[in-house]
Amino acid sequence: MSTETDTAKPAQQDTSDNRPYAVILYGATSFVGQITAHYLTNFLSNAKNKDGSNVTWAIAGRDEEKLNELQSKLESKVDIIIANSKDSASLDEMTKQTQVIISTVGPYLKYGEPLIKSCAENGTDYVDLTGEAIFIKEMMDKYQDTAKQSGARIVNSCGFDSIPSDLGVYFTQTKAEEKFGEACNVIHMRVKAAKGGISGGTIASMATIFEEVGEDKSRRKQVANPYLLNDDTDVPNVRQDNVSKPEYDSTHKRWLAPFVMASINTRIVHRSNQLLGYEYGRDFKYDEAMWMKDGVKGKLSSYAMSAGLLGFATAMMIKPSRELLSKHVLPKAGTGPSKDEQENGYFDIRHFGQTAKNDTITVKVTGDKDPGYGSTSRMLAQAALCLAQDISKEDVGGGFWTPASAMGDKLIARLEEHSGLRFEVIDG
């Protein structure tokens, strides 16, 4: 599959030769930021790693004391840059110094726009780990033209939201075309197994989304639109399946439950299809769900999971219950899974593809660390390095992209070599 589009590319800023840093990690003292900083330090200082040679990077944020503390814990010294999302001048000074910004500062609906704006205006590439589709939509509407003109490649959702889904579909379609001569018109993604914790930052992002949806009816319509991120003039109107309650999968003899990240992952996948020139087909259908066991136990688990997610969503949309949960029940900002939990986590997801001629293919995507943090930090870092080192602006110009449409095979190769992910075709 091609990762290029036919979009005309205007004259764009040179960000490779005259900027002192290849990558700046902004929000480095956040929970996932610290994990990413340690990973980047180890990865780039490894003498055996040719991809890390001559890569100069820095950590950034608003709290100099916390940045100094983080710097003292890293295995090799990196520069510190002070920048604050409330100070546009400091953001511009930072973004003009680097090829790529990694942002871990969420909730993005509350704090993300100033940095996107600065990157778009200064021709600086950008990656983040947001799962907030309505944030991406707003930023596309405001800064797409600016980013195209400046040459800034903005790539959201470069963590567990939504790389395994987005690149998993891309990989499945690539293999289907090789094997059958056509893409799959239907793919079902199923989370077979996952083990990992949740951080206060993730909870804060979820709370922000539910708050927006609870207070603004137009947000509900946005969130329900599977093509929210498709911004072409002829958006498909195919009715998409949505596993929102317990269902039985008779093909694989398992119960299904809703997958909390489907609402962002499916939107990213459909945008990738658009940006790839609808190589998956304009009638392409895609859905995600959690696999449960067969029998009574699986049925009970499916109903319990569905009820729990519905109850949580309902509670988070109501201010008093949202504040009660945030204060007394849910993880606090800056907290998350322990190092052992990150190292011992994993995920195993499957993509079941079917072509219009009823040929079938199954792809397995796995990660060997906690999906939300151990694996996400590696995906995020490698996405930034991929943009900086592997993807020229002649091949992929400025604008809002997805992991699959901007980086495709090159990012898959990096993730398999350096991040503990694996993409493979399997039987059934």
Side-chain angles (χ1 to χ4, degrees):
M1 294 217 163
S2 169
T3 57
E4 298 181 22
T5 71
D6 296 327
T7 304
K9 301 179 180 67
Q12 299 174 345
Q13 296 180 21
D14 177 7
T15 61
S16 58
D17 298 328
N18 56 359
R19 299 193 177 196
Y21 303 106
V23 174
I24 291 177
L25 172 60
Y26 181 66
T29 61
S30 69
F31 188 80
V32 73
Q34 292 181 60
I35 301 169
T36 306
H38 283 284
Y39 171 74
L40 272 169
T41 303
N42 295 334
F43 177 76
L44 295 175
S45 63
N46 185 345
K48 296 179 181 179
N49 173 26
K50 64 182 185 301
D51 294 318
S53 60
N54 301 318
V55 174
T56 305
W57 69 290
I59 55 176
R62 65 181 181 179
D63 192 320
E64 186 172 6
E65 183 178 345
K66 288 184 178 180
L67 287 167
N68 283 325
E69 181 182 353
L70 172 61
Q71 183 195 57
S72 69
K73 296 177 181 178
L74 298 177
E75 291 188 7
S76 59
K77 187 175 181 180
V78 296
D79 290 346
I80 289 175
I81 296 172
I82 306 302
N84 191 324
S85 60
K86 295 181 180 180
D87 180 357
S88 60
S90 71
L91 291 181
D92 286 340
E93 185 177 351
M94 174 180 68
T95 59
K96 288 177 181 178
Q97 295 186 68
T98 188
Q99 291 175 250
V100 186
I101 288 283
I102 300 174
S103 174
T104 65
V105 180
Y108 291 89
L109 272 169
K110 287 187 175 180
Y111 305 118
E113 180 174 356
L115 183 56
I116 292 269
K117 180 177 184 289
S118 181
C119 286
E121 291 177 346
N122 292 305
T124 304
D125 296 342
Y126 167 100
V127 298
D128 68 22
L129 44 74
T130 185
E132 303 164 40
I134 52 179
F135 166 74
I136 300 173
K137 170 65 174 173
E138 280 193 358
M139 296 303 97
M140 285 171 53
D141 289 347
K142 289 185 177 182
Y143 302 112
Q144 175 77 286
D145 291 341
T146 304
K148 283 184 176 180
Q149 188 62 40
S150 73
R153 284 93 59 91
I154 311 294
V155 189
N156 305 104
S157 304
C158 289
F160 190 60
D161 299 338
S162 298
I163 278 180
S165 298
D166 191 32
L167 289 181
V169 169
Y170 174 89
F171 182 85
T172 303
Q173 298 289 33
T174 300
K175 296 304 179 182
E177 288 186 345
E178 291 176 1
K179 189 173 183 179
F180 308 126
E182 63 177 342
C184 298
N185 63 343
V186 178
I187 294 180
H188 305 292
M189 187 280 254
R190 301 295 180 249
V191 181
K192 183 177 185 289
K195 180 183 178 183
I198 192 167
S199 81
T202 297
I203 291 297
S205 288
M206 294 173 68
T208 300
I209 294 171
F210 287 128
E211 180 179 355
E212 291 281 331
V213 171
E215 295 179 356
D216 186 344
K217 291 183 179 180
S218 66
R219 292 293 205 192
R220 300 177 199 177
K221 186 175 180 180
Q222 281 188 313
V223 169
N225 179 9
Y227 298 109
L228 176 65
L229 302 182
N230 291 53
D231 60 352
D232 53 332
T233 57
D234 188 21
V235 178
N237 60 0
V238 177
R239 181 180 177 85
Q240 297 291 327
D241 295 329
N242 179 30
V243 180
S244 59
K245 59 184 179 181
E247 294 182 17
Y248 187 70
D249 179 356
S250 57
T251 301
H252 298 100
K253 294 182 171 53
R254 285 177 176 266
W255 280 91
L256 303 178
F259 180 44
V260 68
M261 296 175 180
S263 62
I264 178 63
N265 294 339
T266 54
R267 278 61 175 168
I268 294 291
V269 167
H270 285 302
R271 176 155 178 79
S272 287
N273 189 23
Q274 176 206 328
L275 293 173
L276 292 168
Y278 289 104
E279 290 184 358
Y280 306 167
R282 295 190 59 83
D283 61 345
F284 175 64
K285 297 182 70 172
Y286 178 70
D287 65 88
E288 298 190 344
M290 295 280 295
W291 254 5
M292 301 297 176
K293 294 181 178 180
D294 196 7
V296 174
K297 186 175 182 179
K299 183 176 182 179
L300 291 174
S301 297
S302 179
Y303 273 85
M305 173 73 77
S306 302
L309 288 174
L310 177 61
F312 177 73
T314 302
M316 294 298 280
M317 283 191 285
I318 302 169
K319 185 176 181 180
S321 56
R322 180 174 63 248
E323 292 179 346
L324 182 66
L325 286 173
S326 298
K327 186 175 182 179
H328 297 291
V329 179
L330 301 173
K332 301 295 186 291
T335 65
S338 68
K339 187 172 182 180
D340 284 345
E341 288 173 328
Q342 294 166 35
E343 290 294 318
N344 294 320
Y346 58 86
F347 63 86
D348 180 346
I349 67 177
R350 308 294 167 91
H351 289 83
F352 299 101
Q354 181 174 316
T355 70
K357 296 178 181 177
N358 293 322
D359 292 314
T360 61
I361 186 171
T362 302
V363 163
K364 176 181 179 181
V365 182
T366 56
D368 64 357
K369 298 289 185 291
D370 163 69
Y373 302 93
S375 281
T376 281
S377 62
R378 289 158 170 77
M379 291 185 251
L380 188 63
Q382 290 299 335
L385 292 170
C386 189
L387 276 181
Q389 296 183 298
D390 304 340
I391 311 294
S392 74
K393 296 206 175 186
E394 287 71 32
D395 289 337
V396 177
F400 281 73
W401 296 88
T402 59
S405 62
M407 294 174 274
D409 296 323
K410 291 181 178 179
L411 183 54
I412 289 175
R414 274 186 170 271
L415 295 174
E416 290 200 315
E417 185 173 358
H418 303 302
S419 300
L421 270 68
R422 183 165 178 78
F423 298 77
E424 56 185 320
V425 177
I426 63 172
D427 293 331

